[in-house]
Amino acid sequence: MYKLIDGKLISTTIKDELKQEVADKNIKATLAVIQVGNDPASSVYVGNKKKACEYIGIGSKSFELPEETTEEELLKLIDELNADDSINGILVQLPVPKHIDDEKIINRISPLKDVDGFHPESVGNLCIGQEGFVSCTPAGIIELLKRSDVSIEGKECVVIGRSNIVGKPMALLLLANNGTVTVCHSRTKDLKKVCKRADILVAAVGKPKMITAEYVKEGAVVIDVGIHRMDNGKLCGDVDFDDVAPHTSAITPVPGGVGPMTIAMLMVNCVKAAKRR
Ligand code: GUN
């Protein structure tokens, strides 16, 4: 029988720990949340981030900018927030409208306030094992594994996906935890065969239910980063849960697996930013 890794429960535990720490140490943290345009999915994510701040006792300052906002205007706002001592963390919800270069935006956020962990300095620190902010989704996956007593050391870890936000930092974190790491992508030959070696398989492919039992070694731990809405209105991941779960020793569900951890780790980064100041 497999173990269901309960991200909702673990994320709540983390948020409760943070709430306690913020109260005990009288930590004053404020997160600036910037959304450009009104993409409905982004609005939901931003709303959930602000709710989490409130729950923990972190201030949040919202900047809801119109779709037509220019790159210069957004960069100017970031400069102001970088210089503002009352702001500890800055988050620009992605994607930004097409006329804005997201790389320029990410690079402009002070690495001291980069609670998303997307700045090249944050990524570089992660790469060489120095202190810095780590991208929230992969950091959340490491917490899920640790808090579910899944050891990473010496394990065959296979990450499917090489995005800057998930795949690459995930691989670096698994490596930092002494896993043997393989990163797969769209050009990988014989993906099934590579995945089948994994003791820990992280799926961040972006294709609904693509990972079936054929990709999974008996007894593997499977982490599903995907989230997709099906025609029947229900959510599913990159993993075909019903097909795969019976072959695993532990697996994350969608929803209620990796998703809630992303916000919990953002809160961890906000508290860290306030303590570092
Ligand atoms: N869009 C999708 N995921 C994220 C995230 O983790 N941070 C930001 N800023 N935007 C996102």
Side-chain angles (χ1 to χ4, degrees):
M1 186 59 193
Y2 63 88
K3 171 179 179 167
L4 195 65
I5 300 179
D6 188 343
K8 189 140 201 301
L9 181 70
I10 296 173
S11 69
T12 303
T13 305
I14 292 171
K15 286 189 283 184
D16 285 335
E17 290 167 4
L18 288 171
K19 185 176 178 158
Q20 188 73 46
E21 186 184 358
V22 165
D24 288 350
K25 299 184 185 159
N26 194 25
I27 294 169
K28 298 271 176 272
T30 304
L31 173 67
V33 183
I34 305 171
Q35 184 183 352
V36 187
N38 40 25
D39 172 64
S42 288
S43 298
V44 172
Y45 291 134
V46 163
N48 288 337
K49 289 170 186 181
K50 289 191 284 195
K51 258 190 250 168
C53 285
E54 193 175 345
Y55 181 77
I56 291 163
I58 295 174
S60 68
K61 205 167 169 183
S62 269
F63 297 86
E64 286 159 24
L65 309 181
E67 180 83 20
E68 315 77 64
T69 304
T70 64
E71 191 175 273
E72 290 68 34
E73 286 168 331
L74 182 54
L75 290 170
K76 183 166 171 277
L77 173 61
I78 293 170
D79 287 341
E80 285 163 11
L81 294 169
N82 281 338
D84 183 343
D85 285 341
S86 72
I87 299 291
N88 312 99
I90 302 170
L91 181 148
V92 180
Q93 185 65 28
L94 300 176
V96 285
K98 284 191 188 68
H99 63 275
I100 299 177
D101 179 353
D102 53 6
E103 203 175 288
K104 255 193 202 165
I105 301 305
I106 289 168
N107 292 4
R108 194 69 155 247
I109 296 171
S110 162
L112 292 171
K113 300 189 180 186
D114 176 37
V115 287
D116 260 327
F118 296 166
H119 191 282
E121 191 171 314
S122 304
V123 179
N125 282 330
L126 171 62
C127 189
I128 59 176
Q130 281 189 178
E131 180 60 30
F133 293 110
V134 178
S135 182
C136 301
T137 299
I141 291 170
I142 296 293
E143 274 307 303
L144 280 182
L145 294 172
K146 289 191 171 165
R147 290 177 188 245
S148 306
D149 297 316
V150 176
S151 102
I152 301 167
E153 183 159 329
K155 297 285 173 64
E156 285 279 352
C157 304
V158 174
V159 179
I160 322 171
R162 54 173 161 181
S163 71
N164 290 340
I165 293 181
V166 181
K168 284 178 202 162
M170 186 75 256
L172 291 169
L173 281 172
L174 290 164
L175 184 61
N177 283 276
N178 301 313
T180 302
V181 183
T182 306
V183 182
C184 300
H185 46 79
S186 53
R187 315 268 173 90
T188 297
K189 285 184 188 146
D190 208 347
L191 181 64
K192 278 182 194 166
K193 189 173 154 200
V194 181
C195 290
K196 199 114 190 169
R197 323 201 269 261
D199 300 311
I200 299 172
L201 181 64
V202 179
V205 210
K207 289 189 186 154
K209 296 192 182 185
M210 186 188 126
I211 304 304
T212 56
E214 291 177 281
Y215 290 77
V216 178
K217 178 165 83 175
E218 207 63 33
V221 174
V222 175
I223 304 292
D224 190 351
V225 182
I227 185 152
H228 314 276
R229 192 162 303 271
M230 294 183 286
D231 291 339
N232 65 9
K234 288 191 177 167
L235 296 172
C236 75
D238 291 345
V239 176
D240 184 340
F241 186 91
D242 294 335
D243 191 40
V244 168
H247 300 279
T248 67
S249 58
I251 183 167
T252 60
V254 176
V258 172
M261 292 302 291
T262 300
I263 294 186
M265 300 315 288
L266 175 68
M267 297 298 109
V268 168
N269 282 349
C270 288
V271 171
K272 187 161 139 181
K275 286 197 291 190
R276 276 170 129 196
R277 190 162 57 130

PDB file of all heavy atoms in Angstrom, residues 49 91-95 116 118 137 165 262, ligand 1:
ATOM      1  N   LYS A  49      -1.670  33.946  -2.007  1.00  0.00           N
ATOM      2  CA  LYS A  49      -0.418  34.404  -1.391  1.00  0.00           C
ATOM      3  C   LYS A  49      -0.703  35.463  -0.334  1.00  0.00           C
ATOM      4  O   LYS A  49      -0.124  35.441   0.755  1.00  0.00           O
ATOM      5  CB  LYS A  49       0.542  34.935  -2.476  1.00  0.00           C
ATOM      6  CG  LYS A  49       1.102  33.804  -3.344  1.00  0.00           C
ATOM      7  CD  LYS A  49       1.873  34.281  -4.574  1.00  0.00           C
ATOM      8  CE  LYS A  49       2.255  33.060  -5.436  1.00  0.00           C
ATOM      9  NZ  LYS A  49       3.025  33.405  -6.643  1.00  0.00           N
ATOM     10  N   LEU A  91       7.468  40.329  -5.043  1.00  0.00           N
ATOM     11  CA  LEU A  91       7.035  39.242  -5.919  1.00  0.00           C
ATOM     12  C   LEU A  91       6.289  39.819  -7.106  1.00  0.00           C
ATOM     13  O   LEU A  91       5.328  40.550  -6.919  1.00  0.00           O
ATOM     14  CB  LEU A  91       6.129  38.315  -5.107  1.00  0.00           C
ATOM     15  CG  LEU A  91       5.578  37.085  -5.799  1.00  0.00           C
ATOM     16  CD1 LEU A  91       5.422  35.973  -4.794  1.00  0.00           C
ATOM     17  CD2 LEU A  91       4.262  37.343  -6.492  1.00  0.00           C
ATOM     18  N   VAL A  92       6.768  39.544  -8.303  1.00  0.00           N
ATOM     19  CA  VAL A  92       6.026  39.914  -9.517  1.00  0.00           C
ATOM     20  C   VAL A  92       5.407  38.627 -10.052  1.00  0.00           C
ATOM     21  O   VAL A  92       6.128  37.690 -10.434  1.00  0.00           O
ATOM     22  CB  VAL A  92       6.949  40.548 -10.580  1.00  0.00           C
ATOM     23  CG1 VAL A  92       6.146  40.909 -11.830  1.00  0.00           C
ATOM     24  CG2 VAL A  92       7.652  41.790 -10.026  1.00  0.00           C
ATOM     25  N   GLN A  93       4.091  38.554 -10.020  1.00  0.00           N
ATOM     26  CA  GLN A  93       3.428  37.336 -10.478  1.00  0.00           C
ATOM     27  C   GLN A  93       3.669  37.149 -11.977  1.00  0.00           C
ATOM     28  O   GLN A  93       3.474  38.064 -12.772  1.00  0.00           O
ATOM     29  CB  GLN A  93       1.915  37.408 -10.162  1.00  0.00           C
ATOM     30  CG  GLN A  93       1.152  36.140 -10.480  1.00  0.00           C
ATOM     31  CD  GLN A  93       1.567  34.936  -9.635  1.00  0.00           C
ATOM     32  OE1 GLN A  93       2.027  35.078  -8.497  1.00  0.00           O
ATOM     33  NE2 GLN A  93       1.413  33.747 -10.177  1.00  0.00           N
ATOM     34  N   LEU A  94       4.089  35.957 -12.352  1.00  0.00           N
ATOM     35  CA  LEU A  94       4.327  35.615 -13.755  1.00  0.00           C
ATOM     36  C   LEU A  94       3.153  34.780 -14.269  1.00  0.00           C
ATOM     37  O   LEU A  94       2.531  34.082 -13.478  1.00  0.00           O
ATOM     38  CB  LEU A  94       5.633  34.828 -13.890  1.00  0.00           C
ATOM     39  CG  LEU A  94       6.890  35.562 -13.401  1.00  0.00           C
ATOM     40  CD1 LEU A  94       8.096  34.640 -13.495  1.00  0.00           C
ATOM     41  CD2 LEU A  94       7.122  36.847 -14.160  1.00  0.00           C
ATOM     42  N   PRO A  95       2.818  34.800 -15.527  1.00  0.00           N
ATOM     43  CA  PRO A  95       3.473  35.578 -16.584  1.00  0.00           C
ATOM     44  C   PRO A  95       3.075  37.046 -16.554  1.00  0.00           C
ATOM     45  O   PRO A  95       1.973  37.387 -16.136  1.00  0.00           O
ATOM     46  CB  PRO A  95       2.958  34.907 -17.855  1.00  0.00           C
ATOM     47  CG  PRO A  95       1.627  34.337 -17.482  1.00  0.00           C
ATOM     48  CD  PRO A  95       1.713  33.976 -16.033  1.00  0.00           C
ATOM     49  N   ASP A 116      11.004  34.924  -4.486  1.00  0.00           N
ATOM     50  CA  ASP A 116      10.693  33.858  -5.457  1.00  0.00           C
ATOM     51  C   ASP A 116      11.934  33.020  -5.776  1.00  0.00           C
ATOM     52  O   ASP A 116      11.817  31.912  -6.305  1.00  0.00           O
ATOM     53  CB  ASP A 116      10.176  34.470  -6.771  1.00  0.00           C
ATOM     54  CG  ASP A 116       8.660  34.415  -6.902  1.00  0.00           C
ATOM     55  OD1 ASP A 116       8.064  33.447  -6.393  1.00  0.00           O
ATOM     56  OD2 ASP A 116       8.094  35.335  -7.512  1.00  0.00           O
ATOM     57  N   PHE A 118      14.164  33.705  -8.081  1.00  0.00           N
ATOM     58  CA  PHE A 118      14.348  33.644  -9.540  1.00  0.00           C
ATOM     59  C   PHE A 118      15.551  34.449 -10.028  1.00  0.00           C
ATOM     60  O   PHE A 118      15.963  34.309 -11.172  1.00  0.00           O
ATOM     61  CB  PHE A 118      13.100  34.171 -10.271  1.00  0.00           C
ATOM     62  CG  PHE A 118      11.839  33.355 -10.072  1.00  0.00           C
ATOM     63  CD1 PHE A 118      10.599  33.885 -10.430  1.00  0.00           C
ATOM     64  CD2 PHE A 118      11.882  32.061  -9.555  1.00  0.00           C
ATOM     65  CE1 PHE A 118       9.430  33.145 -10.267  1.00  0.00           C
ATOM     66  CE2 PHE A 118      10.719  31.320  -9.390  1.00  0.00           C
ATOM     67  CZ  PHE A 118       9.497  31.861  -9.740  1.00  0.00           C
ATOM     68  N   THR A 137       8.661  26.177  -5.440  1.00  0.00           N
ATOM     69  CA  THR A 137       8.088  24.852  -5.735  1.00  0.00           C
ATOM     70  C   THR A 137       9.113  23.742  -5.480  1.00  0.00           C
ATOM     71  O   THR A 137       8.815  22.799  -4.733  1.00  0.00           O
ATOM     72  CB  THR A 137       7.518  24.811  -7.169  1.00  0.00           C
ATOM     73  OG1 THR A 137       6.484  25.803  -7.253  1.00  0.00           O
ATOM     74  CG2 THR A 137       6.954  23.462  -7.519  1.00  0.00           C
ATOM     75  N   ILE A 165      12.238  27.656 -13.304  1.00  0.00           N
ATOM     76  CA  ILE A 165      11.495  27.792 -12.041  1.00  0.00           C
ATOM     77  C   ILE A 165      11.398  26.471 -11.286  1.00  0.00           C
ATOM     78  O   ILE A 165      11.435  26.431 -10.068  1.00  0.00           O
ATOM     79  CB  ILE A 165      10.077  28.364 -12.319  1.00  0.00           C
ATOM     80  CG1 ILE A 165      10.184  29.815 -12.814  1.00  0.00           C
ATOM     81  CG2 ILE A 165       9.191  28.282 -11.111  1.00  0.00           C
ATOM     82  CD1 ILE A 165       8.845  30.486 -13.088  1.00  0.00           C
ATOM     83  N   THR A 262       4.106  25.400  -2.481  1.00  0.00           N
ATOM     84  CA  THR A 262       4.736  26.558  -3.128  1.00  0.00           C
ATOM     85  C   THR A 262       4.493  27.816  -2.291  1.00  0.00           C
ATOM     86  O   THR A 262       5.415  28.599  -2.034  1.00  0.00           O
ATOM     87  CB  THR A 262       4.181  26.736  -4.557  1.00  0.00           C
ATOM     88  OG1 THR A 262       4.473  25.554  -5.293  1.00  0.00           O
ATOM     89  CG2 THR A 262       4.810  27.917  -5.263  1.00  0.00           C
TER      90      THR A 262
HETATM   91  N1  GUN B   1       3.737  32.041 -11.763  1.00  0.00           N
HETATM   92  C1  GUN B   1       3.624  30.705 -11.615  1.00  0.00           C
HETATM   93  N2  GUN B   1       4.341  30.300 -10.534  1.00  0.00           N
HETATM   94  C2  GUN B   1       4.899  31.407  -9.997  1.00  0.00           C
HETATM   95  C3  GUN B   1       5.724  31.637  -8.872  1.00  0.00           C
HETATM   96  O1  GUN B   1       6.126  30.728  -8.141  1.00  0.00           O
HETATM   97  N3  GUN B   1       6.072  32.928  -8.649  1.00  0.00           N
HETATM   98  C4  GUN B   1       5.674  33.940  -9.446  1.00  0.00           C
HETATM   99  N4  GUN B   1       6.078  35.171  -9.151  1.00  0.00           N
HETATM  100  N5  GUN B   1       4.900  33.766 -10.500  1.00  0.00           N
HETATM  101  C5  GUN B   1       4.523  32.498 -10.773  1.00  0.00           C
END
